[in-house]
Amino acid sequence: MDRIAELAKRKTFGIVSHPDAGKTTLTEKLLLFGGAIQEAGAVKSNKIKKHATSDFMEIEKQRGISVATSVMAFEYRDKQVNILDTPGHKDFAEDTYRTLTAVDSVIVVIDVAKGVEEQTEKLVEVCRMRNTPIIVFINKLDREGKDAFDLLDEVEGKLKLKVTPLSWPVGMGQRFKGVYSLYEKNLILFNPHGKQEEEGIVKIENLDDKLLDARIGEREAAELREEVETITSVYPEFERQNYLNGDICPVFFGSAVNNFGVRELLDCFIDIAPNPLPRETEEREILPEEEKFTGFVFKIHANMDPKHRDRIAFLRICSGVFERNTNYFHVRQGKNMKFPNPTAFMASKKSVIDEAYPGDIVGLYDSGNFKIGDTLTEGEILHFKGIPSFSPEQFRFVNNTDPMKTKQLAKGLDQLMDEGVAQLFTKEDNGRKIIGTVGALQFEVIQHRLKNEYGASCNYEPVNLYKACWVTCKDPLALKEFISRRKKDLAKDTDGKLVFLAESAWTMKMAQENHPDVEFHFTSEI
Ligand code: G4P
């Protein structure tokens, strides 16, 4: 099939939300529309509750399940939609950040009652850094919640996004009558018991139409007219280009569990969401239309079965066509590799594919060759940008407790770090190793996996650290001076990059003040 036509069919995106806002439910409804699943509950039943857990086995279970639901692809209106799952558990934050590097747009789900929550703020910040186009879906309108205008203010204030509503609710909770689509100029009437019927959609081009009063009542109609007037005077008119530039976010209202407002969201998404976008590398920009294949690994998943050490590396295709059993160049390792069994993910099914196009994600079986951020090409030396590590928030010294298993421990730690489970720093002064994670549970997961998968044992020792940041300096003399003065606070990450380990906000500030020529970076992308 024509490469350019295939590319034009792809829409690759992620859904982000705070746990419980309705991401899983929305994903499921989208898959139902796409015919990728036949019944509600198929994705949901795969889900493990993400909150209220101090049991790391929950994370282990999620890890197993999330292979199946990592990428879900379906066809809708002649387009191929690829949804990338963004893990919801707070301990997976970094995994989610990285998944966002492989999407071309996102849908943010917000609970009407809770408004903008913490995790959404963090994730949207990452999207904003990359100008990712965003659509906002305000969910659970069948429940009482915040005032719609207040919510828009909250989105603008907390998420620092400019918005323009493309649909508007008529009432909420008990009084929820439906939404008016400013995009399609339709009134969509809410039917709480299931399917949205065709007759529930009333074409109303002009809001002065008396039909509006007849369908939702005079008082509600008057209110809607007034609110829509306010919207048109306060919010900018929707222009696709502004959305594509990441300058403006369309907002939709609905109720995912009632399948309400979801089709409108999906139809608009199909109309406006970007096809695979160009990607930056250190060397040059890669256009998806280019004939030669390029792609990068954004996620690595270990096999849960300790007897099979193989892993799955998730590769995002950026240009050209990826073909099965063809030699590609692994840039970091400087060698050619071919893949006899690349898999595509269609909802929860996996199948071997012969070729894949830009925007697609393929799973490659890997026996330890890949690290997050690795690039495959047809020979060109390229390094994709935008797959940074972030400063961890929790740190501990790691000690080997079984001297007979030193090799196993080193190998296990190496591989877990390649997967992006945590970050490992080796201190410059005494060679001690420090593990840094985003969430505390990761320490237990690491200990458990080292034992189970590598037969190695370790324990942890507290270390008082506030932040790790990567340092660079244009002036070699100033760098040398910094290194000799701060040796006890310095370490190397697994790529050999120099890292400053600050004990407190104050130490951080002092280091910055005393060494003005040294640059401190809070992500590894420097
Ligand atoms: P998440 O993936 O973002 O964590 O959220 P999820 O879809 O699991 O939804 C969280 C809860 O919110 C679920 O209830 C779900 O049914 C409910 N929900 C989703 N959309 C809506 C909506 O439009 N209206 C209302 N009222 N509720 C909604 P739960 O009780 O945790 O699970 P379940 O027992 O219903 O499966």
Side-chain angles (χ1 to χ4, degrees), residues 53-74:
T53 167
S54 56
D55 176 4
F56 72 82
M57 284 313 289
E58 292 293 342
I59 291 197
E60 284 288 274
K61 277 189 235 158
Q62 265 199 359
R63 199 160 65 85
I65 283 160
S66 71
V67 174
T69 55
S70 281
V71 185
M72 290 159 279
F74 66 89

Side-chain angles (χ1 to χ4, degrees), residues 17-26 44 47 49-51 139-143 254-258:
S17 74
H18 194 85
D20 265 349
K23 181 170 66 103
T24 313
T25 314
L26 180 64
K44 194 107 192 157
K47 188 178 119 169
K49 279 279 164 219
K50 308 157 287 266
H51 45 263
N139 190 26
K140 307 197 185 179
L141 264 288
D142 58 315
R143 289 210 186 142
S255 169
V257 80
N258 290 296

